Amino acid sequence: FPVTIGSTNSAITVRNDGQYAVIAVDTFGCVSRSDTVGVDVIEFPVTNILPTPDSFCVGSSLIIGITAPTPPTTILWAPGGESTPTITVNTPGLYRVTQTNIICSTSDSINIYEKFPPVLNTLTDTTVCCPYTYSVDPGGAPASYLWSDGTTTRNYTFSSTSSVTVTVTSSNGCTATEDISVEFFCINPLATATPDTVFRGNPSQLNVTTDYVFPYNYSWIPSTGLSNDRIVNPVSTPTTTTEYLIIVTDTLHGCTDSATVTVNVDYRDWE
């Protein structure tokens, strides 16, 4: 049935579905013409970008989208021209989505920002001489730190050969990593005298062994009574009980270590 409005204007505004009739009456009160028109009211589509983080870390991406549309609707994102409810963005900027159902359109927009990871110090692989330790600082503060062995301090101290990775997370949630390998060289010299007790004027064979086979320089102190104080195995002929210090230097890495050995002299007279 026609909807009754009761307006005598030549034009009306309607907001509801229905059949609307118009009757034209002349000045004599005679009906000269009538007509009806059907009106379908189409609601605007609801276009709201879903609550989402509005930023992403450099090198990553972000998914943004709208609530599931009710067909028939079309979707258009700008920039990009995608027509799906969700899109993946990896460039900062203003993103606008327009949704249209037949003749009605609504839109929403969001500004996407790019976040930067912490700037770290470059950690360089190195070698260390025993018995020293080696500490590194990846930088990037203020941040949280997680080393691959579970350590959570900013500084990391090496005391033996190992390789680790540190993940540094800044307050904005972005991360950066650094790797480092540290190799320790331990000479660990062991000095011996064979025999370690001799009669006065008799020889004793000195020798020093090491953990690694590298080019070494040797220095025996004191040099008195030695056949050669610059070799690995000199012969000692001491006249008194003598403690020898051997200093071993790794000429490849510059590491130095030392050890001592004593040759005892028996002063008894023997025929």
Side-chain angles (χ1 to χ4, degrees), residues 8-10 21-35:
T8 58
N9 296 326
S10 61
V22 59
I23 300 174
V25 180
D26 61 20
T27 55
F28 300 102
C30 298
V31 174
S32 63
R33 188 176 180 183
S34 66
D35 200 0

Side-chain angles (χ1 to χ4, degrees), residues 118-127 134-141 145-149 151 153-158 162-168 176-183:
V119 178
L120 304 186
N121 300 328
T122 300
L123 303 183
T124 304
D125 296 348
T126 190
T127 59
Y134 185 74
S135 295
V136 294
D137 175 9
Y145 300 83
L146 179 61
W147 298 83
S148 53
D149 65 353
T151 301
T153 56
R154 172 175 171 173
N155 293 335
Y156 188 91
T157 300
F158 293 85
S162 60
S163 298
V164 293
T165 300
V166 60
T167 300
V168 183
T177 61
E178 274 289 323
D179 303 316
I180 183 173
S181 294
V182 177
E183 186 174 7

Side-chain angles (χ1 to χ4, degrees), residues 175-196:
T175 62
T177 61
E178 274 289 323
D179 303 316
I180 183 173
S181 294
V182 177
E183 186 174 7
F184 280 76
F185 290 100
C186 303
I187 300 174
N188 292 331
L190 175 64
T192 59
T194 307
D196 60 1

Side-chain angles (χ1 to χ4, degrees), residues 16-251:
N16 299 303
D17 295 339
Q19 293 287 325
Y20 292 86
V22 59
I23 300 174
V25 180
D26 61 20
T27 55
F28 300 102
C30 298
V31 174
S32 63
R33 188 176 180 183
S34 66
D35 200 0
T36 61
V37 62
V39 175
D40 290 325
V41 176
I42 299 174
E43 294 184 2
F44 283 95
V46 177
T47 304
N48 292 318
I49 295 178
L50 295 172
T52 184
D54 62 355
S55 58
F56 62 91
C57 298
V58 172
S60 62
S61 60
L62 181 68
I63 296 176
I64 60 176
I66 61 174
T67 54
T70 302
T73 59
T74 59
I75 298 172
L76 180 63
W77 289 89
E82 294 94 335
S83 58
T84 53
T86 62
I87 62 171
T88 300
V89 300
N90 53 24
T91 302
L94 178 66
Y95 288 83
R96 177 176 294 276
V97 60
T98 300
Q99 188 176 192
T100 303
N101 61 356
I102 306 177
I103 61 172
C104 301
S105 297
T106 56
S107 62
D108 195 11
S109 62
I110 185 173
N111 261 312
I112 301 297
Y113 303 92
E114 193 172 44
K115 300 183 295 186
F116 294 90
V119 178
L120 304 186
N121 300 328
T122 300
L123 303 183
T124 304
D125 296 348
T126 190
T127 59
V128 180
C129 301
C130 293
Y132 301 105
T133 59
Y134 185 74
S135 295
V136 294
D137 175 9
S144 61
Y145 300 83
L146 179 61
W147 298 83
S148 53
D149 65 353
T151 301
T152 56
T153 56
R154 172 175 171 173
N155 293 335
Y156 188 91
T157 300
F158 293 85
S159 57
S160 61
T161 297
S162 60
S163 298
V164 293
T165 300
V166 60
T167 300
V168 183
T169 305
S170 63
S171 57
N172 64 10
C174 297
T175 62
T177 61
E178 274 289 323
D179 303 316
I180 183 173
S181 294
V182 177
E183 186 174 7
F184 280 76
F185 290 100
C186 303
I187 300 174
N188 292 331
L190 175 64
T192 59
T194 307
D196 60 1
T197 300
V198 297
F199 292 113
R200 183 169 49 187
N202 288 343
S204 173
Q205 179 69 64
L206 303 184
N207 189 55
V208 61
T209 58
T210 57
D211 281 358
Y212 293 93
V213 179
F214 288 124
Y216 289 116
N217 286 335
Y218 302 94
S219 179
W220 293 87
I221 301 172
S223 60
T224 304
L226 296 181
S227 60
N228 189 330
D229 65 345
R230 300 294 177 176
I231 62 175
V232 64
N233 55 352
V235 174
S236 168
T237 310
T239 57
T240 61
T241 295
T242 304
E243 180 182 70
Y244 291 97
L245 170 68
I246 172 62
I247 300 174
V248 183
T249 301
D250 169 7
T251 60

